[in-house]
Structure formats: structure tokens, C-alpha cells
């Protein structure tokens, strides 16, 4: 495999050592957006684009990192471990290492070389892929025997503490736990999950990348979280046992949130509706009724765009363009929002023509390139060579 050979070569040049190599994928999400941090359900899957980390332990207290794709290096002593402001990429690796120290693990210095095929800023969780790869690799070389779910939580913490994004658990869970040809129906409250088969005859997952740089995304993401929390507080003043939007109903919103604040109502109502939509959408998937699942995906997009307001004109444009196309079963924006990809379920034999037409129109009207990927559903984090 070419990536592995390249990684080994760079690792050897930098550190004259033989590394462990771990692959951890990006993810898609069929339906259930912005529900994970509201203790709802999600339906993600790992894909065939991944972060790869080559790592080995050192005899001293230094961390030496290389970003192969950027041709950049970064070093720090373990005693100085903290988020670094100036450069971004080391934070995902350092934040992951920091989780071992927090558990009380004795962490020696280590070397790591990173490369990734997950496009950055495309809403495919390139950062979760890196965190999961780093944590999995360290767990292996330190022989700490941490179970996978605990590693998922460590990766989520790394994102909170070193990237400042108060993400839910979906991305890291999908990256670590993915299974080829299955989506994961994950209950983000209990962390119970089941694998649902996702082999669609003649239909493919097409990702259309707006190439919009979503610089607003992390601050707006954290704002949405706070808005949801406010709604929960208002409802819980009247209804016992409410600590998230999971068990909140639209009737409760009508009584306790809408009269107080229209914006908070709109945000929380989207989430309440989306939690129900996922349940229905998943039943359609299990029964092979893709047409109805597709309608739910369009409905999710409308909610994200108009109520949760995390879309942008480019995402809306891409979804509107395929809305009445009989070859497109469902489409919506995916991930945190403000840019990144739309996810489309498309008849396989229509993809080439669809992409050609969309590209021309998109590039003319939005003055941005349109890139696309046909994603296959792949396994979660795994060792490639040791
Ligand atoms: C981002 C976050 F990281 C996830 O936890 C999730 O909330 C998603 O946005 C929206 O569904 O990818």
C-alpha cells in the first residue's frame, strides 16, 4: 500500500526507527445532525478516507511530530504539554497524548508522523480521525489496554481541550467503531449501538464538497450547544427529569420555550424534530424504503438551514439543485455546517452526468470549485503494520 510505504520512509528518515502504523477513517452521517450533544441518536459510518499515523516511543521526554502532507515539524517537551496557538495540526496529536497523562498513565516521549486522505474542512471529521489514530497508536505502543469506547471518549476530550470545539461523540465514535458496509445506529445518551446493514443496490453515497472554508463553524457550534442548554433549563423548571433535549416534546417547547424566546425555540425544536426523524428514517432504512429515508434527509436539510441555521448559500444551492432529480434519493448538508459537504444518495449510473452538470453550474454561480467523492463504508480504527 503506497501510503504505508511513504509513511515508513518518512518515519525512517526522521527518526531512524520502525513505527507502528494506525489508520483511522473520516465519517459520513446519514441522518441525525446536531443530535449527539443533545443525547439523541445518530446514524454515521466510517469511510474509505482516513488519517494514518506512524508512531514509536522515545527514550526521553520529548514529543516529535511531523505533518507529512504539510511538510511541517513540531516538537515539545512533555512537561510543557499544552495547546499550541500558532500552528493548528499539532493540537490534535498533543490533545490525544494529554488524555493518557490525565488517566495517570506514565507517558514517555514519542515520535509521530501524520498523513491523511480526509479532506480538511469538508465536514468529514478529519480531526476526529487524527485523534482516534493517535490514541489508538499510543494505546498500542504503551500497552495500556484501554477499551475502544474509553478511547472514543478520550478522543472527544482531546477535541474539547486542545481544539476548543465542544463536539458531541458522533465523529470519534464513527471513526473508531466503524464497520465495512454498516452504518452505526448510536444512542448518544447510553452509548448503546447497533450496526445496520448499508448495502444499497445500485445506489451510492456521493459527497459534494462546497469548498467553503467554514471558519465560523466552531464558534457557532458552541453557540448552538448553549442555545440547546438554555431550552433544557427552561423546560426542566417545569418538567421533572429533563436534562437534555432527548425527552423534550414539541408540546413542552410550546409551553415553556416559545413564549420566552423565538430563537431558542427554533433551535431546540429542530433538535426535537430531528431526534424523531432519525428513528423514522432508520426504520425506513431497515425496511429498504430508501425513498422515504431520502425524504427525511431533505427534511433534515430544511431544518438545519431554516431552524438551526447552520447551512450556507452554497450548501442550500447544492441541495436545491438535486431536490427534484429522480436519480437523487436524498440529500442534505452534513456535519457541523457553514460549509463542507452535502451527502447525496444517488443512483450509481447517474453520478457522472449529475456531477458534470452540477460542477459547471456551481463553479459559475458560486465562483468556487466543486469537488466530489463517492464514499464507501469502511472499517474503523485499525493497525496497518506493526
Ligand atoms: C460536528 C461535531 F463534531 C459532531 O459531534 C456533531 O455534533 C456534528 O458536528 C453535527 O451533527 O461534526
Amino acid at each position: 500500500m503506497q501510503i504505508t510505504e511513504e509513511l515508513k520512509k518518512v518515519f525512517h528518515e526522521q527518526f531512524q526507527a520502525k513505527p507502528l502504523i494506525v489508520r483511522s477513517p473520516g465519517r459520513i452521517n446519514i441522518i441525525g445532525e446536531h443530535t449527539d450533544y443533545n443525547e439523541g441518536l445518530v446514524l454515521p459510518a466510517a469511510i474509505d478516507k482516513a488519517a494514518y499515523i506512524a508512531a514509536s516511543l522515545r527514550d526521553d521526554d520529548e514529543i516529535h511530530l511531523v505533518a507529512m502532507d504539510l511538510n511541517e515539524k513540531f516538537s515539545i517537551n512533555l512537561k510543557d504539554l499544552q495547546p499550541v496557538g500558532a500552528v493548528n495540526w499539532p493540537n490534535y496529536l498533543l490533545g490525544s497524548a494529554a488524555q493518557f497523562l490525565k488517566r495517570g498513565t506514565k507517558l514517555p516521549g514519542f515520535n509521530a508522523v501524520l498523513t491523511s486522505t480526509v479532506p480538511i474542512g469538508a465536514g468529514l471529521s478529519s480531526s476526529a480521525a487524527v485523534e482516534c489514530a493517535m490514541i489508538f497508536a499510543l494505546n498500542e505502543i504503551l500497552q495500556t489496554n484501554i477499551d475502544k469506547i474509553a478511547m472514543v471518549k478520550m478522543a472527544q476530550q482531546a477535541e474539547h481541550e486542545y481544539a476548543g470545539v465542544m463536539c458531541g461523540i458522533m465523529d470519534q465514535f464513527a471513526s473508531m467503531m466503524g464497520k465495512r458496509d454498516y452504518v452505526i445506529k448510536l444512542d448518544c445518551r447510553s452509548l448503546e449501538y447497533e450496526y445496520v446493514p448499508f448495502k444499497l443496490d445500485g445506489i451510492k453515497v456521493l459527497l459534494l464538497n462546497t469548498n467553503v472554508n467554514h471558519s465560523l463553524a466552531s464558534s457557532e457550534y458552541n453557540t448552538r450547544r448553549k442555545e440547546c442548554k438554555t431550552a433544557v433549563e427552561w423546560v426542566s423548571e417545569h418538567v421533572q427529569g429533563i436534562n437534555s433535549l432527548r425527552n423534550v416534546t414539541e408540546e413542552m417547547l410550546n409551553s415553556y420555550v416559545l413564549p420566552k424566546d423565538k430563537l431558542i425555540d427554533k433551535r431546540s425544536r429542530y433538535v426535537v424534530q430531528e431526534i424523531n426523524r432519525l428513528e423514522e428514517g432508520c426504520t425506513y432504512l431497515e425496511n429498504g424504503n430508501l425513498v422515504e429515508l431520502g425524504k427525511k434527509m431533505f427534511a433534515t436539510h430544511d431544518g438545519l438551514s431554516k431552524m438551526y441555521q447552520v447551512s450556507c448559500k452554497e450548501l442550500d444551492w447544492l441541495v436545491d439543485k438535486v431536490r427534484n432529480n429522480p436519480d437523487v434519493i436524498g440529500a442534505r448538508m452534513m456535519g457541523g455546517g457553514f460549509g463542507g459537504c452535502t451527502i447525496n444518495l444517488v443512483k450509481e449510473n447517474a453520478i457522472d452526468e449529475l456531477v458534470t452538470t452540477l460542477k459547471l453550474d456551481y463553479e459559475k454561480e458560486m465562483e468556487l470549485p466543486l469537488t466530489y467523492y463517492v464514499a464507501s463504508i469502511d472499517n474503523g480504527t485499525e493497525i496497518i503494520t506493526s
Side-chain angles (χ1 to χ4, degrees):
M1 188 197 201
Q2 221 188 332
I3 293 180
T4 317
E5 291 314 309
E6 185 68 14
L7 256 180
K8 276 189 194 156
K9 187 169 144 263
V10 173
F11 198 90
H12 187 77
E13 281 163 13
Q14 296 291 327
F15 306 116
Q16 296 77 50
K18 191 170 166 284
L20 169 84
I21 300 183
V22 170
R23 164 196 169 277
S24 196
R27 64 100 189 91
I28 53 168
N29 184 26
I30 305 297
I31 195 162
E33 214 65 88
H34 286 275
T35 46
D36 60 351
Y37 54 86
N38 287 300
E39 298 196 348
L41 289 96
V42 289
L43 202 60
I47 57 170
D48 56 340
K49 293 198 174 289
Y52 297 78
I53 286 184
S56 71
L57 294 180
R58 294 174 63 92
D59 297 331
D60 57 19
D61 288 338
E62 291 181 2
I63 299 177
H64 286 249
L65 307 174
V66 177
M68 199 170 99
D69 310 325
L70 303 173
N71 208 7
E72 281 179 19
K73 291 185 197 175
F74 180 85
S75 317
I76 195 168
N77 193 289
L78 270 166
K79 68 175 172 8
D80 302 320
L81 191 58
Q82 59 174 332
V84 287
V87 258
N88 232 334
W89 64 268
N91 279 333
Y92 302 107
L93 302 163
L94 300 177
S96 300
Q99 302 312 310
F100 286 83
L101 292 176
K102 275 179 71 184
R103 290 176 65 96
T105 305
K106 201 180 156 339
L107 182 67
F110 65 92
N111 303 313
V113 178
L114 164 68
T115 182
S116 180
T117 59
V118 188
I120 292 170
L124 301 178
S125 299
S126 54
S127 58
V130 173
E131 291 147 1
C132 289
M134 188 74 256
I135 286 172
F136 200 93
L138 285 174
N139 180 49
E140 192 64 26
I141 53 182
L142 292 166
Q143 299 187 342
T144 30
N145 286 321
I146 302 170
D147 70 69
K148 276 182 150 191
I149 303 290
M151 287 197 275
V152 167
K153 293 181 186 166
M154 290 164 75
Q156 181 193 20
Q157 278 307 116
E159 180 82 25
H160 287 191
E161 293 165 15
Y162 276 65
V165 179
M166 301 308 288
C167 64
I169 202 152
M170 170 172 73
D171 299 356
Q172 290 78 6
F173 200 101
S175 185
M176 186 76 73
M177 305 295 291
K179 181 170 162 178
R180 187 166 299 146
D181 296 332
Y182 289 83
V183 292
I184 311 169
K185 183 179 182 189
L186 169 66
D187 181 331
C188 299
R189 179 165 61 187
S190 62
L191 293 192
E192 280 168 12
Y193 62 98
E194 84 187 81
Y195 291 110
V196 179
F198 196 78
K199 262 207 152 210
L200 313 173
D201 257 0
I203 290 169
K204 292 274 179 201
V205 176
L206 173 69
L207 303 172
L208 296 170
N209 189 352
T210 57
N211 285 297
V212 172
N213 172 356
H214 56 172
S215 53
L216 257 182
S218 43
S219 65
E220 287 294 322
Y221 186 91
N222 293 345
T223 305
R224 293 299 177 281
R225 269 198 91 133
K226 285 192 200 125
E227 288 164 346
C228 293
K229 193 162 168 263
T230 303
V232 171
E233 279 163 14
W234 290 348
V235 174
S236 68
E237 283 165 13
H238 302 272
V239 187
Q240 278 201 338
I242 298 287
N243 4 330
S244 73
L245 287 176
R246 174 67 178 268
N247 293 119
V248 170
T249 61
E250 291 205 57
E251 290 70 36
M252 292 178 199
L253 298 179
N254 292 343
S255 305
Y256 310 124
V257 178
L258 182 60
K260 278 190 150 171
D261 190 303
K262 285 204 173 63
L263 183 81
I264 302 290
D265 176 72
K266 203 157 65 160
R267 301 290 194 251
S268 49
R269 197 172 293 269
Y270 159 75
V271 173
V272 169
Q273 290 176 356
E274 179 71 354
I275 290 173
N276 294 327
R277 205 158 28 228
L278 180 134
E279 288 283 12
E280 292 162 4
C282 197
T283 307
Y284 287 131
L285 175 64
E286 282 161 335
N287 296 338
N289 190 344
L290 294 186
V291 172
E292 289 304 318
L293 170 65
K295 286 186 193 160
K296 295 282 170 206
M297 290 170 72
F298 283 115
T300 292
H301 182 81
D302 295 338
L304 287 165
S305 176
K306 298 193 177 80
M307 298 167 78
Y308 218 58
Q309 294 180 295
V310 291
S311 187
C312 61
K313 74 172 191 304
E314 293 82 358
L315 287 166
D316 289 344
W317 188 98
L318 282 172
V319 172
D320 284 341
K321 279 282 164 182
V322 300
R323 206 181 275 273
N324 296 316
N325 184 330
D327 293 325
V328 181
I329 286 85
R332 63 178 194 83
M333 59 150 281
M334 191 180 68
F338 301 100
C341 287
T342 62
I343 174 169
N344 304 260
L345 300 185
V346 185
K347 291 188 186 150
E348 191 171 3
N349 54 15
I351 290 182
D352 287 349
E353 199 185 318
L354 176 69
V355 167
T356 312
T357 325
L358 281 177
K359 245 176 119 43
L360 271 177
D361 293 349
Y362 182 85
E363 292 176 2
K364 197 160 104 206
E365 285 187 41
M366 300 292 136
E367 296 180 341
L368 281 167
L370 180 70
T371 34
Y372 71 98
Y373 326 98
V374 178
S376 341
I377 297 189
D378 214 333
N379 287 329
T381 315
E382 59 192 356
I383 293 172
I384 303 277
T385 59
S386 51

